[in-house]
Amino acid sequence: MAALARPRDGRMIGGVCAALARRFGTSATTMRVIFLVSCLLPGPQFLLYLALWLLLPAEKSVSAAW
């Protein structure tokens, strides 16, 4: 399983769904649909998304060595 970090590519808003999809081996679109459907249920899904956006580290970029 991949480490939980927000990827630099494939982001739509914060990269949380893309990070979770990469971690659990699904597509980012599937994870986004699951999140949107879960927002129809009562609960703090939006707050959880914001918390993950703040707490998950961004993926380290590969920079050219000089």
Side-chain angles (χ1 to χ4, degrees):
M1 286 188 162
L4 195 55
R6 293 181 297 119
R8 296 252 179 226
D9 57 336
R11 289 185 180 187
M12 290 216 52
I13 297 177
V16 174
C17 289
L20 292 173
R22 189 179 284 180
R23 174 75 165 113
F24 293 112
T26 65
S27 72
T29 303
T30 302
M31 193 59 69
R32 290 178 187 122
V33 169
I34 290 170
F35 174 72
L36 289 175
V37 170
S38 75
C39 285
L40 298 174
L41 302 171
Q45 293 87 340
F46 188 70
L47 294 176
L48 180 63
Y49 186 92
L50 290 176
L52 287 173
W53 192 355
L54 292 172
L55 296 174
L56 286 180
E59 187 176 63
K60 293 183 174 132
S61 64
V62 179
S63 58
W66 291 88

